Amino acid sequence: MLDLNAATWPEVKEAVEKGAVAVLAVGALEQHGHHLPLSTDTVMSQGVARRIAETIDGLLLPPIAYGDAWNNEAFAGTISLGPDTIRAVLIDIGRGLARGGFKALVIINGHFGNREPIALAARALKMEHGFPVLHLDYPGMERIASEVCDSKPAAPTFYHADEVETSMMLALAPELVRMDKAASEYPVFPKTFGMEAMGLDTFNRSGVFGDPRPATAVKGEALMAGILEQSVRLIQAWLSKVG
Amino acid sequence: MLDLNAATWPEVKEAVEKGAVAVLAVGALEQHGHHLPLSTDTVMSQGVARRIAETIDGLLLPPIAYGDAWNNEAFAGTISLGPDTIRAVLIDIGRGLARGGFKALVIINGHFGNREPIALAARALKMEHGFPVLHLDYPGMERIASEVCDSKPAAPTFYHADEVETSMMLALAPELVRMDKAASEYPVFPKTFGMEAMGLDTFNRSGVFGDPRPATAVKGEALMAGILEQSVRLIQAWLSKVG
Amino acid sequence: MLDLNAATWPEVKEAVEKGAVAVLAVGALEQHGHHLPLSTDTVMSQGVARRIAETIDGLLLPPIAYGDAWNNEAFAGTISLGPDTIRAVLIDIGRGLARGGFKALVIINGHFGNREPIALAARALKMEHGFPVLHLDYPGMERIASEVCDSKPAAPTFYHADEVETSMMLALAPELVRMDKAASEYPVFPKTFGMEAMGLDTFNRSGVFGDPRPATAVKGEALMAGILEQSVRLIQAWLSKVG
Amino acid sequence: MLDLNAATWPEVKEAVEKGAVAVLAVGALEQHGHHLPLSTDTVMSQGVARRIAETIDGLLLPPIAYGDAWNNEAFAGTISLGPDTIRAVLIDIGRGLARGGFKALVIINGHFGNREPIALAARALKMEHGFPVLHLDYPGMERIASEVCDSKPAAPTFYHADEVETSMMLALAPELVRMDKAASEYPVFPKTFGMEAMGLDTFNRSGVFGDPRPATAVKGEALMAGILEQSVRLIQAWLSKVG
Amino acid sequence: MLDLNAATWPEVKEAVEKGAVAVLAVGALEQHGHHLPLSTDTVMSQGVARRIAETIDGLLLPPIAYGDAWNNEAFAGTISLGPDTIRAVLIDIGRGLARGGFKALVIINGHFGNREPIALAARALKMEHGFPVLHLDYPGMERIASEVCDSKPAAPTFYHADEVETSMMLALAPELVRMDKAASEYPVFPKTFGMEAMGLDTFNRSGVFGDPRPATAVKGEALMAGILEQSVRLIQAWLSKVG
Amino acid sequence: MLDLNAATWPEVKEAVEKGAVAVLAVGALEQHGHHLPLSTDTVMSQGVARRIAETIDGLLLPPIAYGDAWNNEAFAGTISLGPDTIRAVLIDIGRGLARGGFKALVIINGHFGNREPIALAARALKMEHGFPVLHLDYPGMERIASEVCDSKPAAPTFYHADEVETSMMLALAPELVRMDKAASEYPVFPKTFGMEAMGLDTFNRSGVFGDPRPATAVKGEALMAGILEQSVRLIQAWLSKVG
């Protein structure tokens, strides 16, 4: 495994020639309540991406630290890229990897709002540039969360500043977590949620969705391990096909 | 000073209301010879940005870890954003800061190829969105380098993987520097350098421009101190005008 | 209710002045197996849109007959608009409605691939042009389908040329349905489905997902009635807020 | 002839393999006085397109129901696509046809404002994608109109909600025509008409240009027949060249 | 009248404050047979623009020397801007004039292929920026040509390197005309001319459409005088409205 | 040498077949004080370009008479193209030259603000279209100016309406120079000049930077001769490589 932040070009040259795969985390700078940092989605996705790169002997790219979190913009410090900009960033990186002889790219997405730009970039890179991209959204998280967590998510598969994310942050970057400020909020979703452009602040006060208080690093490790296992299985199935 | 990677939204809210200024480093993922990491420009610009934010009590944004280094693309691991993408990233961030009530943005640029996209983003943000941006390219570096360095740059104001950059990296992230691999190269610049699209690999073998061997952390600290002092002076003059 | 295909401008003028809401179906030209026409998603969404317009006394726009069905492109006759084009079409229409004094727009989406372009258009129209848009994806369909259908979907909430869609087509346009050609196919989804750019033809032979054979017009009417009821409830809640 | 709205993919596959040509009508949603519907240009162009498709055994695509009618926007219900959006729609469709193995595309334009976007799309499809497109604007209409009509057009080759269009609508969709509301208007064109951006409402009150009252379905059939004959002759000459 | 090529900024300041109108010629770099220069459309439109500026005491801008002449590209030296580029050029200039306090812009178009980009720029400038633009295509030319010329045009209103253009060039820039190389060509237009993307070289050998041989400077002056008179009349009518 | 403004297509055809190189000046319409015309940068760059074309037997294109001079926009008559528009213009021209069989393009830039758009166009033309472009910014000017001029520039390599430019204009177009209005101004540059979007009018009153009064045509000829010699040397070195 090679971390491109630390590597030199001759090292990358050697790894690329051996067929190493690039791994890229896409996070966000987005509010995560009073107890988690704005970088939560970046820290988590980069944490998962690093473990994946270690396991598959991949080339770990620097993470994208900004995502599309426009619906949390009313919470201070939430700074977004537009969806077209995210797509452009990923296409530029993917084309650079393709020109550089990289074999393939695995994207680890840490933020819901990035899904579509990532999917569109992957489509463009495959269809127009013939470069294979696999994009993962924490595969297996829902199942593991239901096993290890004591609290319920605010909505199905909706994990934001809750027990799941707080546990993973406690495992990855405990120095960034203020458990003393962790508080529960189960907002009532408006009927037309997801059907109109709507700021989350219109029905959520703290920035938390669910109950972060039962979070522990041990649960976070379990979540990470499960996601890692499932991710690696998917990557290997995919590589056997695109390789 | 608030590091947005570590801060929570209520902390940012308070700082913004007090009129804090945002500070953003723009780096690159670019070859820097056999002894410096691909992240050199990001580490350096973020190092300077952090000290500036500390001095002016600013809000430090996560750095942009990719720049426009197309002319080094032949060296493995150099992965670029196109100039239009960089501009779009900066405009999105600037507009988000403006909507979020931030007072102003200081950009610390760590890579030559980013200059024009940054200048164009600053122009658009001021002219179209009324948001003030100051962009700094290590002010004072040339003077200090001529004072503290023992080697000559490969060309005037051209510092790349040389004594200047290696010294700053030794001051900021010594664990990423392999002095045992540091070697000197003074390439002969083609006559039409800067007058046509030209890969640097066509006349540079190692990725080094100059002689990194005399580099020391002490010199790096002197460079950082000088740049910091000059930067803060400029920022304060500017803020007294735009504020 | 006014069908804009049939209406004259003085009639529309009067309706707009009374505060009527526009209703727009977005369909697709996409393969739907051997027994359903390429226009299935357009016929269905326009059928639902018409009933909604009748119920809320809305202004029914001509449907968009092309969507983003790139992953079915290997099946002949599937002709798509790119996601940016769909977004542009919807923004142009929405801005025209806004300039024309329309109060709001309800979009009835009939094709999964259109979801994100529609959501982005709705965001742009609200954020940049202050024009409210509600976009519905057959609300309630999953619940009603589970009640009235005898077959299972090929995957959760994945309805394509199956009992659900065939029933709705039998209710709306029986002359376009060839039940004699209806055949069942339950394809095995690749592990990385939804995680990479992938043509559906790589694992689906007929174009059918599920079993269309138990479909009846009566089931189709039940589906339509349930979707209509749920849609109207959402629209009224929303109008009471944006109005 | 195959109507893609009604056809299934195996039918299209067979037709494409036999070398069938696609036919696409481009209309508008535009005011047409007090007696003709907003869909007039779509109904007419689709009517002509259908007869052409029948005659040349072509593949009839769903029509584009929105055009660029910005200069009639002051009349309620006139909703336009911008010229760049129309071009994008046509290029997407043309590229899809090209990828799908279609031999060529014939566009039947029903609205003056669409001419240039269609011509630019045709140019792009031929020059960049090697796909042949023929675009027809009711060839022969002027000659036949001068033969069969009793009234004069409001300006040479300017037919809008007049005897020509009303006759064709009476032939194609009499249920959409309200002859009791038909009234004559011969507006005085401003001197700088066509030389500046100008809404037609600034000199036209009813939306009618000319006198629709002498219109009959028989005249409409004569117009259709003449346009069809001339169109087919042009298509066959063209196909013998591009085929 | 002020020629901006020769004027200084204080002179322009004074003229703008007095309400002077800008005049801009848009030409082309396009083949004009063996006897006329590539700059013919620029020379002619700038010649007309200069006389108009003299007559209305306008501000004459430098001409745009490139147009959209793609269909003559097979003739050497024909170098075009794409239609979107021309539009962007005109919108940038128009917005600059608007910001600079200019009252209005008159565009003198010298090349058929520029018509639509000019019209779209005028529309954008009026609708989005509230800046009035009048665009003229040699008004009156057809009538005067029919009066003063001895030869017939190759097609109605189609004047290219013929008696009309050659006469105007003899009046404006006789040193650029080689009458000894003037030869007649009346090409047979393909049936589908104007209905498909088609290079003019496919049916025209010399680049001439018509017969330039009877051309004289006297005829050219008559053409210029008639166009000037008609143009000024239109401009004055328009200014009395937009002023 | 062939001036494309005066040449006919058969002449260009012959020159292109012989391998002639295109030469294009890019100027500006920008204030140059009270004594120099707005066209100064265009006149100068076209003057240099013409001499280069004469020396290398090149094909001289019509100059681009508008550049990016946004920071002088407060001075009347300064009308700019945006940087993206300039890039598009140059890419269109370059692609046209490439399609037309031209061997290469030399761009003579006469205005600082055009540098980056020119460099980006050159990069795109080389990387995407394989067409070689050399772009020159008056090579050697600094050295010759220091030799022949009696006054100092307002800042290093900053020549605007000063002795250098005035001398070149006296050599090239003395009829456009009003020496009686020439006056000196040495503005104090703000500390953050070049680090923020800033109009030059905020610290410059007359539009002059430096002292134009010692200017003479003889000095201008010396400057032109030196630039020409240096330019031709660079072009020949470059052609021997790209040819």
Side-chain angles (χ1 to χ4, degrees):
Chain A
M1 180 267 197
L2 213 49
D3 180 344
L4 259 72
N5 263 331
T8 62
W9 74 260
E11 292 168 336
V12 177
K13 186 165 184 281
E14 196 184 322
V16 169
E17 285 167 1
K18 284 187 185 152
V21 168
V23 182
L24 173 66
V26 187
L29 189 70
E30 186 196 27
Q31 76 81 11
H32 275 76
H34 293 240
H35 71 294
L36 289 181
L38 293 162
S39 63
T40 294
D41 291 347
T42 308
V43 170
M44 280 172 55
S45 56
Q46 180 70 348
V48 170
R50 182 175 296 278
R51 295 186 185 199
I52 288 173
E54 284 165 358
T55 310
I56 67 167
D57 199 14
L59 286 156
L60 183 65
L61 288 159
I64 308 298
Y66 298 85
D68 180 5
W70 70 277
N71 59 5
N72 259 326
E73 198 176 80
F75 293 97
T78 303
I79 301 292
S80 288
L81 302 184
D84 295 337
T85 304
I86 297 174
R87 194 201 315 179
V89 164
L90 297 175
I91 288 177
D92 283 1
I93 290 174
R95 293 178 66 183
L97 295 170
R99 283 193 303 265
F102 284 73
K103 183 184 177 180
L105 169 64
V106 176
I107 292 178
I108 308 304
N109 180 26
H111 174 68
F112 183 81
N114 301 338
R115 287 197 179 188
E116 193 70 12
I118 291 172
L120 291 179
R123 194 206 295 188
L125 287 166
K126 178 166 178 195
M127 299 305 173
E128 291 162 34
H129 306 286
F131 186 66
V133 178
L134 185 74
H135 43 97
L136 301 177
D137 294 276
Y138 300 147
M141 185 190 260
E142 190 180 2
R143 185 182 48 74
I144 315 163
S146 72
E147 288 167 15
V148 305
C149 288
D150 294 302
S151 67
K152 291 235 169 305
T157 78
F158 196 117
Y159 310 109
H160 185 81
D162 64 344
E163 186 181 354
V164 168
E165 291 201 341
T166 306
S167 294
M168 287 176 71
M169 286 301 284
L170 285 169
L172 281 164
E175 73 281 8
L176 296 178
V177 184
R178 343 257 172 105
M179 283 309 289
D180 56 312
K181 305 229 170 160
S184 168
E185 180 174 354
Y186 280 88
V188 179
F189 284 73
K191 280 198 186 71
T192 53
F193 180 73
M195 303 169 193
E196 56 166 320
M198 182 192 288
L200 299 180
D201 61 297
T202 55
F203 63 95
N204 176 262
R205 234 172 27 88
S206 67
V208 171
F209 282 77
D211 189 353
R213 290 169 305 174
T216 68
V218 171
K219 290 173 183 172
E221 283 297 343
L223 283 156
M224 302 277 288
I227 291 166
L228 175 64
E229 188 197 357
Q230 179 69 3
S231 296
V232 170
R233 199 176 305 160
L234 288 164
I235 292 167
Q236 282 166 346
W238 175 67
L239 284 177
S240 71
K241 200 173 61 178
V242 304
Chain B
M1 180 266 197
L2 213 50
D3 180 343
L4 259 71
N5 264 332
T8 62
W9 73 262
E11 292 167 336
V12 178
K13 186 165 185 281
E14 197 184 320
V16 169
E17 285 167 2
K18 284 188 185 151
V21 167
V23 182
L24 173 66
V26 186
L29 190 70
E30 187 196 28
Q31 77 79 12
H32 274 76
H34 292 240
H35 72 294
L36 289 182
L38 293 163
S39 64
T40 293
D41 290 347
T42 308
V43 170
M44 280 172 56
S45 56
Q46 179 71 348
V48 170
R50 181 176 297 279
R51 294 186 186 199
I52 288 173
E54 285 164 357
T55 310
I56 66 168
D57 199 13
L59 286 157
L60 183 65
L61 288 160
I64 307 297
Y66 299 84
D68 180 5
W70 69 278
N71 59 5
N72 259 326
E73 198 176 82
F75 293 97
T78 303
I79 300 292
S80 289
L81 303 184
D84 295 337
T85 304
I86 297 173
R87 194 201 315 180
V89 164
L90 296 175
I91 289 177
D92 283 2
I93 290 174
R95 292 178 67 182
L97 294 170
R99 284 194 303 266
F102 284 74
K103 182 186 178 179
L105 169 64
V106 176
I107 292 178
I108 308 305
N109 180 26
H111 174 68
F112 182 81
N114 300 338
R115 287 198 179 189
E116 194 69 12
I118 290 172
L120 291 179
R123 192 204 298 187
L125 287 166
K126 178 166 177 196
M127 299 304 172
E128 292 163 34
H129 305 287
F131 186 66
V133 178
L134 185 75
H135 43 97
L136 302 176
D137 294 276
Y138 298 148
M141 185 191 259
E142 191 179 1
R143 185 181 49 74
I144 316 163
S146 72
E147 288 168 15
V148 305
C149 288
D150 294 302
S151 67
K152 292 234 170 304
T157 78
F158 196 117
Y159 309 110
H160 185 81
D162 64 345
E163 186 181 354
V164 168
E165 291 202 339
T166 307
S167 295
M168 287 176 72
M169 286 300 285
L170 284 170
L172 281 164
E175 73 281 8
L176 296 179
V177 184
R178 343 254 172 106
M179 283 309 290
D180 56 313
K181 304 229 170 162
S184 169
E185 181 174 355
Y186 281 88
V188 179
F189 285 73
K191 282 197 186 71
T192 53
F193 180 73
M195 303 169 193
E196 55 167 321
M198 183 191 288
L200 299 180
D201 61 298
T202 56
F203 63 95
N204 175 262
R205 233 171 30 88
S206 66
V208 170
F209 283 76
D211 189 353
R213 290 169 305 173
T216 67
V218 172
K219 291 174 183 171
E221 284 296 343
L223 283 156
M224 302 276 289
I227 290 165
L228 175 64
E229 187 197 359
Q230 179 68 4
S231 296
V232 169
R233 199 175 305 159
L234 289 164
I235 292 166
Q236 282 166 345
W238 175 68
L239 283 177
S240 72
K241 201 173 60 177
V242 303
Chain C
M1 181 266 196
L2 213 49
D3 179 343
L4 259 72
N5 264 333
T8 62
W9 74 261
E11 292 168 337
V12 177
K13 186 165 185 283
E14 196 184 321
V16 169
E17 285 168 1
K18 284 187 185 152
V21 168
V23 182
L24 173 66
V26 187
L29 190 70
E30 187 196 26
Q31 76 80 12
H32 275 75
H34 293 240
H35 72 294
L36 289 181
L38 293 163
S39 63
T40 294
D41 291 346
T42 307
V43 170
M44 280 172 56
S45 55
Q46 180 70 349
V48 169
R50 182 176 295 280
R51 293 185 187 200
I52 288 173
E54 285 165 357
T55 310
I56 66 167
D57 199 13
L59 285 157
L60 183 66
L61 287 159
I64 308 297
Y66 298 85
D68 180 5
W70 70 277
N71 58 4
N72 259 326
E73 198 176 81
F75 292 97
T78 304
I79 300 292
S80 288
L81 302 183
D84 296 336
T85 303
I86 297 173
R87 194 200 315 179
V89 164
L90 297 175
I91 288 177
D92 283 2
I93 291 174
R95 294 178 66 183
L97 294 171
R99 284 194 302 267
F102 284 73
K103 183 184 178 180
L105 170 64
V106 176
I107 293 178
I108 309 305
N109 180 26
H111 174 68
F112 182 82
N114 300 338
R115 287 197 179 190
E116 194 69 13
I118 291 172
L120 291 178
R123 193 206 297 188
L125 286 166
K126 179 168 177 194
M127 299 304 173
E128 291 162 34
H129 306 287
F131 186 67
V133 178
L134 184 75
H135 43 97
L136 302 176
D137 294 276
Y138 299 147
M141 185 191 260
E142 191 179 1
R143 184 181 49 74
I144 316 163
S146 72
E147 289 167 14
V148 306
C149 287
D150 294 302
S151 66
K152 292 235 170 303
T157 78
F158 196 118
Y159 310 109
H160 184 81
D162 64 344
E163 186 181 354
V164 168
E165 292 202 339
T166 307
S167 293
M168 286 176 72
M169 286 300 284
L170 285 170
L172 282 163
E175 72 282 8
L176 296 179
V177 185
R178 342 255 172 106
M179 283 309 290
D180 56 313
K181 304 229 171 160
S184 168
E185 181 175 353
Y186 280 88
V188 179
F189 285 73
K191 281 198 187 70
T192 53
F193 180 74
M195 303 170 193
E196 56 167 321
M198 182 193 288
L200 299 180
D201 61 298
T202 55
F203 63 94
N204 175 262
R205 232 171 31 89
S206 66
V208 170
F209 283 76
D211 189 352
R213 290 170 304 174
T216 67
V218 171
K219 291 174 182 172
E221 283 297 342
L223 283 156
M224 302 276 290
I227 291 167
L228 175 64
E229 188 197 359
Q230 179 67 5
S231 296
V232 169
R233 201 176 304 159
L234 288 164
I235 292 167
Q236 282 167 343
W238 174 68
L239 283 178
S240 70
K241 200 174 61 177
V242 303
Chain D
M1 180 266 196
L2 213 49
D3 180 343
L4 259 72
N5 263 332
T8 63
W9 74 261
E11 292 167 337
V12 177
K13 186 165 186 280
E14 197 184 320
V16 169
E17 285 167 1
K18 283 187 186 153
V21 168
V23 182
L24 173 66
V26 187
L29 190 69
E30 186 196 26
Q31 76 82 10
H32 274 76
H34 293 240
H35 71 295
L36 289 181
L38 294 163
S39 63
T40 294
D41 290 348
T42 308
V43 170
M44 280 171 54
S45 55
Q46 179 70 348
V48 170
R50 181 177 296 279
R51 294 186 186 198
I52 288 173
E54 285 164 357
T55 310
I56 67 167
D57 199 13
L59 286 156
L60 183 65
L61 287 159
I64 308 298
Y66 298 85
D68 180 5
W70 69 277
N71 59 3
N72 258 326
E73 199 176 80
F75 292 97
T78 304
I79 300 292
S80 287
L81 302 184
D84 296 336
T85 303
I86 297 174
R87 195 201 316 181
V89 164
L90 296 175
I91 288 178
D92 283 2
I93 290 174
R95 294 178 67 183
L97 295 170
R99 284 194 302 267
F102 284 74
K103 182 185 179 180
L105 169 64
V106 176
I107 292 177
I108 308 305
N109 180 26
H111 175 68
F112 183 80
N114 300 338
R115 287 197 179 189
E116 194 70 14
I118 291 172
L120 292 179
R123 194 205 297 188
L125 286 166
K126 178 167 178 195
M127 298 306 172
E128 291 162 34
H129 305 286
F131 186 67
V133 178
L134 184 75
H135 43 97
L136 301 177
D137 294 275
Y138 299 147
M141 185 191 259
E142 190 180 0
R143 185 183 48 75
I144 315 163
S146 72
E147 290 167 13
V148 305
C149 289
D150 295 301
S151 66
K152 291 234 171 304
T157 78
F158 196 118
Y159 310 109
H160 184 82
D162 64 344
E163 185 181 356
V164 169
E165 292 201 341
T166 307
S167 293
M168 286 176 71
M169 286 300 284
L170 285 170
L172 281 164
E175 72 281 9
L176 296 178
V177 184
R178 343 255 172 107
M179 284 308 290
D180 56 313
K181 304 229 169 160
S184 169
E185 180 174 355
Y186 281 87
V188 179
F189 284 73
K191 281 198 185 71
T192 53
F193 179 73
M195 303 169 193
E196 56 166 322
M198 181 192 289
L200 298 180
D201 60 299
T202 55
F203 62 95
N204 176 261
R205 232 170 31 85
S206 67
V208 170
F209 282 76
D211 189 352
R213 290 169 305 175
T216 66
V218 171
K219 291 174 183 171
E221 282 297 343
L223 283 156
M224 303 276 289
I227 291 166
L228 174 65
E229 187 197 358
Q230 179 69 2
S231 296
V232 169
R233 202 176 305 161
L234 289 164
I235 292 167
Q236 281 165 345
W238 174 68
L239 284 177
S240 71
K241 200 174 61 178
V242 304
Chain E
M1 181 267 196
L2 214 48
D3 180 344
L4 260 72
N5 264 333
T8 62
W9 74 261
E11 292 167 336
V12 177
K13 186 166 186 278
E14 196 184 321
V16 169
E17 286 167 0
K18 284 187 186 152
V21 168
V23 182
L24 172 66
V26 186
L29 190 70
E30 186 195 29
Q31 77 80 10
H32 275 77
H34 293 241
H35 71 295
L36 289 181
L38 293 162
S39 63
T40 293
D41 291 347
T42 307
V43 171
M44 280 172 56
S45 55
Q46 179 70 349
V48 170
R50 181 176 297 279
R51 294 186 185 200
I52 288 173
E54 285 164 357
T55 310
I56 66 167
D57 198 13
L59 287 156
L60 184 64
L61 288 159
I64 308 298
Y66 297 85
D68 180 5
W70 69 277
N71 59 5
N72 258 326
E73 199 175 80
F75 293 96
T78 303
I79 300 293
S80 289
L81 303 184
D84 296 336
T85 304
I86 297 174
R87 194 201 315 180
V89 164
L90 297 175
I91 288 177
D92 284 2
I93 290 175
R95 293 178 67 183
L97 294 170
R99 284 193 303 266
F102 284 73
K103 183 184 178 180
L105 169 65
V106 176
I107 292 177
I108 309 304
N109 180 27
H111 174 68
F112 182 81
N114 301 338
R115 288 196 179 191
E116 192 70 12
I118 291 172
L120 291 179
R123 193 207 296 189
L125 287 166
K126 178 168 179 193
M127 298 305 173
E128 291 162 34
H129 306 286
F131 186 66
V133 179
L134 184 75
H135 44 97
L136 302 176
D137 294 276
Y138 299 146
M141 186 190 259
E142 191 179 1
R143 185 183 48 74
I144 315 164
S146 73
E147 289 168 15
V148 306
C149 288
D150 294 301
S151 66
K152 292 234 170 305
T157 79
F158 196 117
Y159 310 109
H160 184 81
D162 64 345
E163 186 181 354
V164 168
E165 292 202 338
T166 306
S167 293
M168 286 175 72
M169 287 300 284
L170 284 170
L172 282 164
E175 73 282 8
L176 297 178
V177 184
R178 343 258 172 103
M179 283 308 290
D180 56 313
K181 305 229 169 159
S184 168
E185 180 174 356
Y186 281 87
V188 179
F189 285 73
K191 280 198 187 69
T192 54
F193 179 74
M195 303 169 193
E196 56 166 321
M198 183 192 287
L200 298 180
D201 61 297
T202 54
F203 63 95
N204 175 262
R205 232 171 30 87
S206 66
V208 170
F209 282 77
D211 189 352
R213 291 170 304 174
T216 67
V218 171
K219 291 173 182 170
E221 284 297 342
L223 283 156
M224 302 277 289
I227 291 166
L228 175 64
E229 187 197 0
Q230 179 68 4
S231 296
V232 170
R233 200 175 306 161
L234 289 164
I235 293 167
Q236 283 166 344
W238 175 68
L239 284 177
S240 71
K241 200 174 61 177
V242 304
Chain F
M1 181 266 198
L2 213 49
D3 180 342
L4 259 71
N5 264 332
T8 61
W9 74 261
E11 293 167 336
V12 177
K13 186 165 184 283
E14 197 184 320
V16 168
E17 285 167 1
K18 284 188 186 150
V21 168
V23 182
L24 174 66
V26 187
L29 189 70
E30 187 195 27
Q31 76 80 10
H32 275 77
H34 293 240
H35 71 294
L36 288 182
L38 293 163
S39 63
T40 294
D41 290 347
T42 307
V43 170
M44 280 173 54
S45 56
Q46 180 71 349
V48 170
R50 182 176 297 279
R51 294 186 187 199
I52 288 173
E54 284 164 358
T55 311
I56 66 168
D57 199 13
L59 286 157
L60 183 66
L61 288 160
I64 307 299
Y66 298 85
D68 180 5
W70 70 277
N71 58 4
N72 259 326
E73 198 176 83
F75 292 98
T78 303
I79 300 292
S80 288
L81 303 184
D84 296 337
T85 303
I86 297 174
R87 194 201 316 181
V89 164
L90 297 176
I91 288 178
D92 283 2
I93 290 174
R95 294 178 66 182
L97 295 171
R99 284 194 302 266
F102 285 73
K103 183 184 177 181
L105 170 64
V106 176
I107 293 177
I108 309 304
N109 181 26
H111 174 68
F112 183 82
N114 301 338
R115 287 197 180 189
E116 194 69 13
I118 291 172
L120 291 179
R123 193 206 296 189
L125 286 166
K126 179 167 177 195
M127 299 305 172
E128 290 163 34
H129 305 286
F131 186 66
V133 178
L134 185 74
H135 44 97
L136 302 176
D137 294 276
Y138 299 147
M141 186 191 259
E142 190 179 2
R143 184 182 50 74
I144 315 163
S146 72
E147 289 168 14
V148 305
C149 288
D150 295 301
S151 67
K152 292 235 169 303
T157 77
F158 196 117
Y159 309 109
H160 184 81
D162 64 345
E163 187 181 354
V164 168
E165 291 201 341
T166 307
S167 294
M168 287 176 71
M169 286 300 284
L170 285 169
L172 281 164
E175 72 282 8
L176 297 179
V177 183
R178 343 255 171 106
M179 283 309 291
D180 56 312
K181 305 228 171 162
S184 168
E185 180 174 354
Y186 281 87
V188 179
F189 285 72
K191 282 197 186 69
T192 52
F193 180 74
M195 303 168 193
E196 56 167 321
M198 182 193 287
L200 299 180
D201 60 297
T202 56
F203 63 95
N204 175 261
R205 232 172 29 89
S206 66
V208 170
F209 283 77
D211 188 352
R213 289 169 305 175
T216 67
V218 172
K219 291 174 183 171
E221 282 297 342
L223 282 156
M224 302 277 289
I227 291 166
L228 175 64
E229 188 198 358
Q230 179 68 3
S231 296
V232 169
R233 201 176 306 160
L234 288 164
I235 292 167
Q236 282 166 345
W238 175 68
L239 284 177
S240 71
K241 200 174 61 177
V242 303

